[in-house]
Amino acid sequence: MKKYLMPVLCACAMPILAMGRNGDSLTIRKIADEVLTHSTAYENLRVLTKQIGGRLAGSPQMVKAEQWGVEAFKAAGADTVYLQECMVPHWVRGEKEEARIISKRRDFIPPLNILALGNSVATSPEGVTAPVIEIGSFDELEAKKDQVKGKIVFYNYHFNPRFIKTFHAYGDAVKYRSNGPSRAAKYGAVAVIVRSMSHGANNFPHTGGTHYDTAYAKIPAVAIGLEDADMLSARLKDDPSANIFLKTNCQMLQDTIGHNVIAEIKGSQHPDQYITVGGHLDSWDICEGAQDDGAGCVQTIEVLRAYKAAGIKPSRTIRFVLFANEENGARGGSKYAEVAKAKNETHILALESDAGGFTPRGFASSMSAEKKAVIQKWRPLLEPYGVYDFSEDGGGTDIGPLHRLLDTPMAELIPDSQRYFDVHHAANDVFEGVNKRELELGAVGMAGFIYLVDKYF
Amino acid sequence: MKKYLMPVLCACAMPILAMGRNGDSLTIRKIADEVLTHSTAYENLRVLTKQIGGRLAGSPQMVKAEQWGVEAFKAAGADTVYLQECMVPHWVRGEKEEARIISKRRDFIPPLNILALGNSVATSPEGVTAPVIEIGSFDELEAKKDQVKGKIVFYNYHFNPRFIKTFHAYGDAVKYRSNGPSRAAKYGAVAVIVRSMSHGANNFPHTGGTHYDTAYAKIPAVAIGLEDADMLSARLKDDPSANIFLKTNCQMLQDTIGHNVIAEIKGSQHPDQYITVGGHLDSWDICEGAQDDGAGCVQTIEVLRAYKAAGIKPSRTIRFVLFANEENGARGGSKYAEVAKAKNETHILALESDAGGFTPRGFASSMSAEKKAVIQKWRPLLEPYGVYDFSEDGGGTDIGPLHRLLDTPMAELIPDSQRYFDVHHAANDVFEGVNKRELELGAVGMAGFIYLVDKYF
């Protein structure tokens, strides 16, 4: 295209609200200019994803990523950088999983593309072979509970395309991954296959943590790619006596030592009051963890860098945290909250970026109605940067413990969500999927939001 | 990530405004459900881009694309489909362009990555070799006008990253492509090289139409990729006597016959009142034209399909138009307006989608203040679909003539713009860059908007 009407050219590069709001818009514009012209976020992400890669808790990459985080915070100009030790689970995938349809027809069927769910137990070394029962919902599971014993339960619940915000589709579907294995084990299932939580039109299986209810047997659980899920479903309709052979090699080892990586800009007036900004440093082992949550980490570092480079001196102390072990334990966030409570720290607000490095749309929050009303007044200051939606409740796995233990108000960056579940927890969550400017605009939104929190909260 | 707080699950899948607004939100929700569950837009785009590809006016692909458009409209259930003939320019690129830095140092320098600008004349068959003068702005050109004669002018004006909406950066920079050749020819330049209009961190040159002022000589003009632009700039600082050899093989042939592809849903109450919805069918020759403007074409077809499938019966006649020849002539839009004027047709509004198939953000418009106020009241009905920004003026190249000749109110879909100029008019504007759901949500926004125009305008 070429434009017929040229837009009013300087509207968005100028501090349009400056006169009316005490220079806040000027300051946010200054931060935005700093980020959009000198950001290191994209290059930081390249190093984290391409040179370190997947960094599950307990892995050698976890240690490298922590060292990287320390150096990146220092390079960004932090007043202080330190590690906060916490024990983290140490789950390993082992050799690549195997899955095959075993049919009496003996026609050729390609192997199924699967990934063990995080924290899952393995099959026995020889694998498991069993008949399959396809289950569309927990209601259907209850209705068919007498047919489950000795079988592999295949949860084929589809991501609902009618939800506009894809996180709502995820919220709707994720229970089959989290609770599906134990609910199937309750009725004697021997293993579980879960349809991946994605709209993506490809065959990447999407892993993610599962949770075993200790009341029931721990059975092996895997995710299956969408194309294979459809193929398996069609096959079972046509060939219901087909079995599946499944072999997983994962293992939960002893807890090991991980760290939250923490940097600070000391508050100029209230150094003992804290505002936390963060993402999580760990990722699943099978991907680069670029959107989940390398983006949140480099945005966090970029907020620090932009504050220092633009000469912003917050009155409260800003803590920038790369949390350990969000994906399969959330121990980093728990540790952070426990230490804050033990030290009787005063926390003003915690902000997390853990929904991808896409163009920002808004901030969700969990806090009192009075505080929410304060945040919603900031819309005119942030809408010039594409941030307009302050309607939803939200927070983040890593800052949830602080919210619960200390009643700290919490908020989360809400980026555009359409592409997130194309790559979430899958091998295609790579650096190339992140757009430099979208990533930077998220950091602009975060920096502007934190500036306003520091000043008005 | 996993979510700490689950969002209120059904909020966005439910007709939240239904009770208060006469069922409009229910109807828009019905259209959205139809698009999000049964859209053919993505598959249509795959065929247009992968089976037909680049389709510049006058090319064999133009003819194939017109046939495709007719069949796609029929498949979508149009009441009427027809072609509207118009003469279109026929510019051909010829053999791949060549460009090299010629230095006395005789060190090895890789060839420069360039593309002739659309409508440009060619160099002579043996090419042109001349010294280079780098120009940062038209002000600098005027200051250095005495140094231009006999040289190749290299406009190295950078896309400004401080603009939040990238179309503003384009509006700011595009004059060097449109007017740069003639402004340089005025002072005796022998050719022009223009830095590509992109933030993209790669070396794809971005072509686009240029316009010759008949007062001056027509000189060859090319776009250069950003990496090569930076390299050339650095080289010239260090080696100012370097020449450039440039050879282009493009040619403007006789005008030829093209067509607007038009489909209609007949109005149930006012069949002689028209609402136009469209995109442009042509694209540059060197790319698949997926974002520019395959997306707008398949969204236009999808609006038609969704109306028919959901049983929406508009009171006015909706015209769905795939315009011919936007890129290097805008003859399709001119013809459409001329015919409308000659027939004394009544046109209520024209809407164009020509800014990429990204998630929608809003609608820009050009019309009276009273009409604009009507549109802005629709925000609560469209914001559930991510459409919230009604602030800007806008329209589209293809519907501009209708606006000018008949004073028809016009509007354009405003999608998220961060990724558009990474691929605009470049070889990487391919199908793979389009996200299925983002494309569909744009069609939802367009369908909802047109529904409201038909009812309330």
Side-chain angles (χ1 to χ4, degrees), chain A residues 132-158:
Chain A
V132 188
I133 180 168
E134 180 175 338
I135 294 293
S137 68
F138 283 143
D139 285 345
E140 186 178 346
L141 178 73
E142 295 303 320
K144 294 183 175 171
K145 62 187 178 184
D146 296 337
Q147 304 169 42
V148 167
K149 191 169 182 188
K151 290 188 183 149
I152 295 173
V153 166
F154 167 35
Y155 288 112
N156 196 24
Y157 185 82
H158 287 238

Side-chain angles (χ1 to χ4, degrees), chain A residues 84 259-261 276-282 297 321-326 332-334 336-337 351-352 398-399:
Chain A
Q84 182 177 63
H259 301 87
N260 294 323
V261 184
T276 296
V277 189
H280 64 83
L281 192 52
D282 63 318
C297 292
V321 186
L322 312 182
F323 291 97
N325 175 230
E326 189 267 359
S334 294
Y336 183 74
L351 170 68
E352 180 146 11
D398 297 298
I399 57 178

Side-chain angles (χ1 to χ4, degrees), chain A residues 160 162-164 168, chain B residues 9-16 29 33:
Chain A
N160 186 339
R162 294 171 67 250
F163 289 103
I164 305 304
H168 295 184
Chain B
L9 283 186
C10 293
C12 272
M14 293 291 285
I16 51 179
R29 182 70 244 182
D33 285 348

Side-chain angles (χ1 to χ4, degrees), chain A residues 1-10 12-13 29 33 36-37 161-168 170-172 174 177 199 280 292 326-327 329 354-355 359-361 366 379 383-386 388 392 394-397 400 403-404 410 412 416 418-420 422 424-425 435 437-438 441, chain B residues 1-10 12-13 29 33 36-37 161-168 170-172 174 177 199 280 292 326-327 329 354-355 359-361 366 379 383-386 388 392 394-397 400 403-404 410 412 416 418-420 422 424-425 435 437-438 441:
Chain A
M1 64 92 66
K2 64 184 178 193
K3 297 291 281 186
Y4 167 64
L5 289 176
M6 282 300 132
V8 182
L9 283 186
C10 292
C12 273
R29 183 70 244 183
D33 285 348
L36 292 169
T37 53
R162 294 171 67 250
F163 289 103
I164 305 304
K165 295 178 178 174
T166 60
F167 281 89
H168 295 184
Y170 185 62
D172 174 56
V174 73
R177 192 190 78 206
H199 292 297
H280 64 83
D292 185 11
E326 189 267 359
E327 294 295 2
D354 184 20
T359 330
R361 288 264 185 176
S366 294
R379 175 170 173 162
E383 187 161 325
Y385 306 95
Y388 67 96
E392 289 201 64
T397 304
H403 179 67
R404 289 193 296 274
M410 67 174 178
E412 65 175 324
D416 200 287
Q418 298 311 314
R419 285 176 284 144
Y420 190 67
D422 293 353
H424 178 250
H425 294 184
N435 177 276
R437 277 181 60 88
E438 292 186 349
L441 281 173
Chain B
M1 65 89 67
K2 65 185 179 192
K3 297 291 283 185
Y4 168 64
L5 289 176
M6 283 300 132
V8 182
L9 283 186
C10 293
C12 272
R29 182 70 244 182
D33 285 348
L36 292 169
T37 53
R162 295 170 66 251
F163 289 103
I164 304 304
K165 295 177 178 176
T166 61
F167 281 89
H168 295 183
Y170 185 62
D172 174 56
V174 74
R177 193 191 77 207
H199 293 296
H280 64 83
D292 184 13
E326 189 268 357
E327 294 295 4
D354 183 19
T359 330
R361 289 263 185 178
S366 294
R379 176 170 173 161
E383 187 162 324
Y385 305 95
Y388 67 96
E392 290 202 64
T397 304
H403 179 68
R404 288 193 296 276
M410 67 174 176
E412 65 176 323
D416 200 287
Q418 298 311 313
R419 285 177 284 144
Y420 190 67
D422 294 353
H424 177 250
H425 295 184
N435 178 276
R437 277 181 59 87
E438 293 186 350
L441 281 172

Side-chain angles (χ1 to χ4, degrees), chain B residues 112-371:
Chain B
L112 298 171
N113 200 4
I114 61 160
L115 281 177
L117 295 185
N119 298 340
S120 174
V121 297
T123 62
S124 62
E126 62 274 20
V128 58
T129 301
V132 188
I133 180 166
E134 180 176 338
I135 294 292
S137 68
F138 284 143
D139 286 344
E140 188 179 344
L141 178 73
E142 295 303 320
K144 295 184 175 170
K145 61 186 179 185
D146 296 338
Q147 304 169 42
V148 168
K149 191 168 181 187
K151 291 189 182 148
I152 294 173
V153 166
F154 167 35
Y155 288 112
N156 196 23
Y157 186 81
H158 287 237
F159 227 50
N160 187 338
R162 295 170 66 251
F163 289 103
I164 304 304
K165 295 177 178 176
T166 61
F167 281 89
H168 295 183
Y170 185 62
D172 174 56
V174 74
K175 56 184 174 285
Y176 295 98
R177 193 191 77 207
S178 303
N179 307 326
S182 284
R183 289 192 64 159
K186 178 179 177 183
Y187 300 125
V190 296
V192 161
I193 300 173
V194 183
R195 182 185 180 90
S196 290
M197 267 116 244
S198 174
H199 293 296
N202 58 46
N203 204 33
F204 289 101
H206 295 235
T207 187
T210 193
H211 172 78
Y212 288 120
D213 184 334
T214 51
Y216 308 108
K218 291 184 176 182
I219 59 174
V222 299
I224 187 168
L226 301 198
E227 289 179 3
D228 278 1
D230 291 339
M231 185 273 281
L232 175 57
S233 179
R235 179 86 192 195
L236 291 171
K237 282 177 184 62
D238 190 44
D239 184 10
S241 69
N243 283 5
I244 282 190
F245 164 78
L246 196 63
K247 185 169 182 308
T248 59
N249 310 288
C250 39
Q251 194 178 358
M252 186 65 87
L253 305 175
Q254 286 293 313
D255 283 3
T256 186
I257 297 172
H259 300 87
N260 294 323
V261 184
I262 303 178
E264 292 181 0
I265 298 179
K266 289 285 178 205
S268 58
Q269 294 176 49
H270 308 288
D272 55 347
Q273 297 181 8
Y274 296 99
I275 298 168
T276 296
V277 190
H280 64 83
L281 191 53
D282 63 319
S283 79
W284 286 103
D285 53 330
I286 43 74
C287 62
E288 291 176 4
Q291 300 285 10
D292 184 13
D293 185 25
C297 292
V298 300
Q299 286 172 328
T300 297
I301 296 163
E302 179 61 19
V303 174
L304 191 160
R305 193 202 65 78
Y307 267 56
K308 298 301 280 192
I312 310 291
K313 297 187 194 307
S315 68
R316 275 81 170 247
T317 292
I318 317 283
R319 282 240 187 95
F320 302 87
V321 186
L322 312 182
F323 290 97
N325 175 231
E326 189 268 357
E327 294 295 4
N328 67 331
R331 304 276 189 90
S334 295
K335 182 69 175 189
Y336 183 74
E338 285 160 18
V339 172
K341 188 176 168 71
K343 291 187 174 175
N344 201 24
E345 288 177 353
T346 301
H347 282 257
I348 304 300
L349 179 136
L351 170 68
E352 179 145 12
S353 169
D354 183 19
F358 305 102
T359 330
R361 289 263 185 178
F363 288 94
S365 60
S366 294
M367 56 188 66
S368 68
E370 293 73 23
K371 291 279 187 193

Side-chain angles (χ1 to χ4, degrees), chain A residues 429-447:
Chain A
D429 180 8
V430 294
F431 175 70
E432 290 77 4
V434 179
N435 177 276
K436 181 173 182 287
R437 277 181 60 88
E438 292 186 349
L439 181 74
E440 290 170 358
L441 281 173
V444 168
M446 292 165 70

